[in-house]
Amino acid sequence: MKKFTSVSDVENLQEIINKALQIKENPLSETEKGKGKTIGLVFLNSSLRTRLSSQIAAQNLGLNVLTLNAAQEAWNLEFTDGAVMNGGTVEHIKDAIEVLNQYCDIIAVRCFAGMKSKEDDVNESILSQFEQHAKVPVISLESATRHPLQSLADCITITESWKEESKPKVVLTWAPHIKPIAHAVGNSFAEWMQEMDVELVIANPEGYDLDKNFTKDVKVVHNQDEALKDADFIYVKNWSSFDDYAAMPEVKENWMLTNEKLANTNQAKVMHCLPVRRNVELSDEVMDGENSIIYQQAKNRIFSAQAVFSEILDGINTNN
């Protein structure tokens, strides 16, 4: 593996899921693999699970870990090519990445959608610069359009939670929120689930359809009760409008997930990437109930990261 920014960078999804599950059984099985190598974790946005799980995963592999909270601790970055830097920005992203090239064997970066320019977000205006200027493997810790380490953790969680021979029905359902939320988790989950042996249905109100470049031919239902019928897994997530970019069209129906709605399912397991706004996106009774596998999902963030870091190190060691 030369980089990791989407499911297309994974040669065999089932193999890397199996690898992650093996790592989960023995997280310290490869403590020498990263010895003498450094991973730089660059955060342009807030993080809890991604930051901690990435650090644990890297340490489990013997990697030296450098963590930079770039939005707070670094110089104000300029991202525009050809900019005349006579204002508030101090260092161009090209120069920052070139320095990271000197210090790191792997660069992992987290950058959210700006939610102002649809074109900039769709074209990954920040992540694309890391891919362009980095001379070492780049890993996405979330970007404007995708959250691949989260999605791999989701695949791991579904795989270890489903013991039937039949194909599970997985529903990605929109949830209410108090502010416009980016599309990365929803896009990414839809993209990865299409590589899994599942029946995927997306449920969202009118005006909230995700980008077809990610959902492709997946069935989209605008009635939540209809979508949830006989579901085996429910992934709860909010996102804003894609067509009317970052808007929040009015929704009159109640889309918050409750136990009453779960009664219509096949005792569905409930997932969420966290953080979650309790009693807005889903109720306490669901969050804390026996159907919730949300914390299991969060723990699997360690093993998704460790599997990817291990694969990247294999590539580095082969090239050396």
Side-chain angles (χ1 to χ4, degrees), residues 53-118:
S53 62
S54 297
Q55 289 176 336
I56 294 168
Q59 290 165 357
N60 285 348
L61 292 164
L63 280 160
N64 180 41
V65 183
L66 301 179
T67 302
L68 176 64
N69 302 311
Q72 292 84 35
E73 299 171 350
W75 299 109
N76 289 339
L77 292 169
E78 176 61 58
F79 295 96
T80 305
D81 254 351
V84 178
M85 292 174 55
N86 59 359
T89 56
V90 178
E91 183 161 30
H92 200 284
I93 188 64
K94 289 193 292 188
D95 304 321
I97 295 171
E98 185 54 47
V99 171
L100 289 168
N101 286 330
Q102 313 305 315
Y103 296 167
C104 304
D105 300 283
I106 303 168
I107 298 173
V109 58
R110 179 178 177 95
C111 50
F112 290 167
M115 303 298 288
K116 295 178 180 178
S117 167
K118 184 176 185 177

Side-chain angles (χ1 to χ4, degrees), residues 130-145:
F130 277 85
E131 293 191 86
Q132 179 183 352
H133 299 298
K135 297 183 176 70
V136 298
V138 171
I139 295 172
S140 171
L141 301 177
E142 186 171 4
S143 69
T145 64

Side-chain angles (χ1 to χ4, degrees), residues 175-176 224 254-258 261 278-283:
Q224 189 184 42
N254 178 16
W255 281 72
M256 184 179 76
L257 190 64
T258 61
K261 293 183 179 183
R278 284 172 173 256
N279 302 309
V280 176
E281 295 177 77
L282 73 168
S283 60

Side-chain angles (χ1 to χ4, degrees), residues 185-232:
V185 172
N187 287 344
S188 200
F189 185 75
E191 197 170 49
W192 284 69
M193 283 298 107
Q194 290 173 78
E195 300 299 320
M196 293 276 285
D197 188 24
V198 304
E199 176 194 350
L200 177 63
V201 177
I202 300 174
N204 58 257
E206 297 277 0
Y208 285 91
D209 287 2
L210 290 165
D211 184 352
K212 289 287 288 183
N213 286 319
F214 295 96
T215 61
K216 300 188 186 304
D217 296 324
V218 173
K219 182 179 181 181
V220 179
V221 177
H222 296 133
N223 181 302
Q224 189 184 42
D225 290 336
E226 176 188 339
L228 294 181
K229 188 176 188 310
D230 299 325
D232 298 297

Side-chain angles (χ1 to χ4, degrees), residues 16 18 21 47 50 83 85 89 95 101 116 126 134 170 200 230 246 251 254 276 279 299 312 315:
I16 199 166
N18 291 342
L21 290 170
S47 176
T50 300
M85 292 174 55
T89 56
D95 304 321
N101 286 330
K116 295 178 180 178
I126 296 176
V170 179
L200 177 63
D230 299 325
V251 178
N254 178 16
V276 62
N279 302 309
K299 184 174 183 178
I312 293 286

